[in-house]
Amino acid sequence: QEIVDSGLVELGSHTLTHPSLKSLSHEKAQKEITESKADLEKMFKEKVVSFAYPGGSYNDDTEHLVRDAGYTIALTTKPGITISEDGLYEVHRIRPGYLTLAFIKNYFQTLLFKRENNSLKIHI
């Protein structure tokens, strides 16, 4: 509760039991997605708008269930940093917990910079 009250983090949902959502029936996936949101909102008296697919497991059905449950954004495990309005339920992200600093540096340089005439240009 202290962390939520600090305002430094956003409370997001990740299902009730961390299943592979795309392997569940529609009804079971719906329960995992909607009840986890309801439980967190009740427990912390805070609106929950973000969702992270457990293990990056999702499909078109689960994406629609997340949207229908009232989330406004959902995160995948796909690497990347680009967010568009069309892709708010398939947001890519950087997961540095298991990466080395050299790997992260190279990753960002590959995504953001392009060598042109012996200089690096940023591309956003």
Side-chain angles (χ1 to χ4, degrees):
Q1 185 65 55
E2 183 178 341
I3 293 171
V4 172
D5 290 344
S6 76
L8 297 174
V9 297
E10 178 188 343
L11 184 61
S13 179
H14 199 49
T15 68
L16 292 169
T17 64
H18 204 262
S20 171
L21 288 172
K22 66 183 178 183
S23 68
L24 297 180
S25 69
H26 177 88
E27 293 75 20
K28 287 182 181 178
Q30 184 176 37
K31 178 180 178 169
E32 289 281 341
I33 292 165
T34 58
E35 288 186 17
S36 62
K37 182 180 193 310
D39 287 354
L40 288 170
E41 290 178 343
K42 182 178 179 183
M43 186 182 306
F44 293 102
K45 311 288 188 267
E46 185 88 15
K47 187 169 174 69
V48 174
V49 298
S50 62
F51 183 84
Y53 301 107
S57 170
Y58 71 100
N59 56 26
D60 288 343
D61 185 46
T62 54
E63 187 178 328
H64 286 98
L65 289 171
V66 167
R67 183 186 310 261
D68 292 346
Y71 296 97
T72 58
I73 194 165
L75 299 142
T76 70
T77 57
K78 296 176 185 175
I81 59 173
T82 302
I83 299 175
S84 71
E85 285 189 29
D86 294 338
L88 291 178
Y89 294 91
E90 291 185 294
V91 175
H92 297 200
R93 61 185 170 151
I94 304 297
R95 299 177 66 202
Y98 62 91
L99 303 176
T100 65
L101 184 57
F103 184 90
I104 293 169
K105 179 181 175 186
N106 183 57
Y107 182 79
F108 276 110
Q109 287 177 331
T110 302
L111 287 176
L112 297 174
F113 300 96
K114 183 177 179 185
R115 205 166 273 288
E116 294 177 8
N117 300 325
N118 286 337
S119 64
L120 287 176
K121 303 268 183 174
I122 191 164
H123 293 271
I124 299 176

